[in-house]
Amino acid sequence: MTGTLPSYRAPVDETLFILNRVLRIGDHDAVTANLDVSEEALRPLLEGAARFAETRLAPLNARGDAEGCTRRPDGRVTTPGGFKEAFDQSVADGWSNLAVPARDGGHGLPYVVTAAIEEYLNSANQSFCMYTNWGFYGALLMANADPALRESYLPKLVSGEWIGTMAMTEPHAGTDLGLMRTKAFPEADGSFRLSGTKMFISGGDHDLTDNIVHFVLARIDGAPDGSRGISLFLVPKVVAGTETPNGVTCGSVEHKMGLRASATCTMHFDDALGWLIGEPHQGLRQMFQLMNHARRLTGVIAVAGSEAACQRAAGHVRERLQGRAPGRSGAAIEPADPLIEQPDVRRVLMAIRSFVEPARALALWMSLQLDLAERSRDEVVRTRAAGRIQLLTPIVKAVLSDMALDAALQAQQMFGGHGYVVETGIEQYARDLRMLSLAEGANGVQAMDLVERKLLRDDGAGFRDFIAEIDAAIALLPAGHDHIALPMRQALDDIVEASAYLLAARPDDVGYGAYDFMTALGLVALGYMWVRIVLADDVQRNDTSAVRLARAIFFMTHHLPVVTTCLRRMTADAGIISKLPATAF
Ligand SMILES: Cc1cc2nc3c(=O)[nH]c(=O)nc-3n(C[C@H](O)[C@H](O)[C@H](O)COP(=O)(O)OP(=O)(O)OC[C@H]3O[C@@H](n4cnc5c(N)ncnc54)[C@H](O)[C@@H]3O)c2cc1C
């Protein structure tokens, strides 16, 4: 059965439509300063990435899942067959350092274009991509590092000769990093010795590169308790310029339900030599810069997985013959009609498709906001973009990852019992995507972050500004688009009412309602993207436009009404559950 399925095809035309027509990236100096974004220039770049994803990464996806990573008796970890060669190719082709600023030795591409490429690579092989990006993250984390330390480590992270890790989580300290126990003891020469155990460290050990650079959060001996006393350190597996292994060992590789080709390790630091990056006690603040990028990237990966799963499911139901289409008798040449003729099958696929397209636009729009916030020459544009990033990072991270998991499960459903067997390859998407809701700050924590830090902190000002932007876009819809404008206006009324409720609510009620508010705002943001897609497409009526419009209308009737449900659900009295004893659950 696997042999008949189409392999992944990167949606280059769709990406170009979003970048050039919907987001109009060519209008922004923050983007065009670094890159010619005309279609003639962008297409070859995207097609090159598409080719690498389709031909080098996609064929390794199932193999990597089956083989997984192995910790050898000497503590070293091996990745699945083919990963090392593909990694070397990725480095040679330059796919690993696209967003790294040119001053640090990278390509300095805008985030919005890099995100489009990240989507293709993650569609093809999510596990593989867990090892990449360390040039960019390294440059970010080492921006304020001692120049000699930067010189020793950053160039090799950027070139892809070495890979980094983000070592924060400990067995007893996940969301609450203030509980961490890893300690750093100062040495006379200004270096530190670190001791402690970290868990769930992606790429903690592997055979892709000779050295691994761990960015470790730890508490300097005598530092205050809690999150205020945490500092950021660079701890290499092998100290640069020497061949002496440092006191860093992999204790085990986590046995995971998915992402099995990504080595997620428990790491022991035993008197390991390390160096402080930046000022003491600023570690969490520094790491959160990286986390915000990682959360945006989570949204991109969510799109990637949903797209790939949808392609597989659509390919399957177009070929699989079962039953008769409604209203058809049995006199056809084939013994049965393809599943795609069944209305319920179409409903499922359209539910996925009508999510994936605006989700792609939202993830790319968010990446564009980062370009604007960092590089626009206009201060008003920079400030406005920074506000959007603040408000919408939890949405892009959490709502897209939740909906992507649902999309993957629905895609699996299209295979019936064949979806439950490994050989069809569809169940891997659900297993791999599951991680997105759990890590980089679990989604429940994202909801609290959205409401407490983004909505309540500025008394809803940033939220209202975003709603006004959506309102203005709806007003531009030409006559005849009531099937989009009316549901969007209803959703805006509901989300404004929900925000007013939260702004006046008691803390328990805020905590209870946060998740529904986040989901609702995510749906409104996706609806906004549909409005922009329809506006961008309206001038050019052709078959593709007709299909897009049908998808937009489907979203308005299928997904968007959940906003009203969320509003009703979140305003229920939290006191009913908060007064119950823990045994009631
Ligand atoms: C595949 C994978 C790769 C990972 N890679 C890395 C890595 O490279 N580096 C690294 O440092 N870590 C990594 N992690 C760890 C990941 O970041 C943590 O698992 C995550 O932060 C959650 O912590 P926890 O697992 O301890 O869950 P907990 O903190 O125990 O949370 C459990 C649940 O309780 C909820 N919760 C917790 N606190 C609150 C609160 N205050 N309010 C409301 N709800 C709350 C959460 O939403 C969650 O649903 C990885 C994890 C996985 C699965």
Side-chain angles (χ1 to χ4, degrees), residues 166-169 174-175 200-202 256 264 435 438-440 442 444-445:
M166 167 172 68
M168 307 188 297
T169 308
T175 304
F200 289 130
I201 307 310
S202 300
K256 308 195 298 296
T264 312
M435 172 267 196
L438 303 167
E440 315 293 5
V445 177

Side-chain angles (χ1 to χ4, degrees), residues 14-32:
E14 184 60 24
T15 307
L16 285 168
F17 168 74
I18 301 281
L19 293 179
N20 289 336
R21 304 266 304 278
V22 179
L23 302 181
R24 303 177 67 89
I25 61 171
D27 294 351
H28 298 287
D29 57 36
V31 175
T32 54

Side-chain angles (χ1 to χ4, degrees), residues 25-89:
I25 61 171
D27 294 351
H28 298 287
D29 57 36
V31 175
T32 54
N34 288 350
L35 189 70
D36 174 0
V37 296
S38 63
E39 177 157 347
E40 303 73 57
L42 269 189
R43 184 176 282 282
L45 177 66
L46 294 178
E47 285 180 345
R51 242 187 335 274
F52 179 67
E54 292 163 0
T55 60
R56 290 305 304 265
L57 299 188
L60 291 177
N61 198 31
R63 178 179 175 186
D65 184 55
E67 287 182 25
C69 295
T70 312
R71 180 184 175 279
R72 299 190 314 209
D74 64 1
R76 290 159 71 176
V77 175
T78 50
T79 54
F83 267 53
K84 166 80 179 140
E85 293 75 14
F87 184 80
D88 290 347
Q89 185 70 55

Side-chain angles (χ1 to χ4, degrees), residues 378-395:
D378 184 336
E379 194 189 336
V380 176
V381 172
R382 283 202 306 275
T383 310
R384 189 181 153 96
R388 296 289 185 269
I389 294 163
Q390 275 276 320
L391 181 71
L392 290 161
T393 295
I395 299 285

Side-chain angles (χ1 to χ4, degrees), residues 130 134 165-177 198-203 256 258-259 262 264 287 291 435 437-446 448:
M130 297 288 286
W134 274 100
T165 78
M166 167 172 68
M168 307 188 297
T169 308
E170 297 182 7
H172 59 282
T175 304
D176 189 356
L177 289 170
K198 297 284 179 186
M199 192 180 178
F200 289 130
I201 307 310
S202 300
K256 308 195 298 296
L259 294 180
S262 165
T264 312
M287 199 57 110
M291 290 299 291
M435 172 267 196
S437 308
L438 303 167
E440 315 293 5
N443 284 0
V445 177
Q446 297 300 316
M448 296 306 297

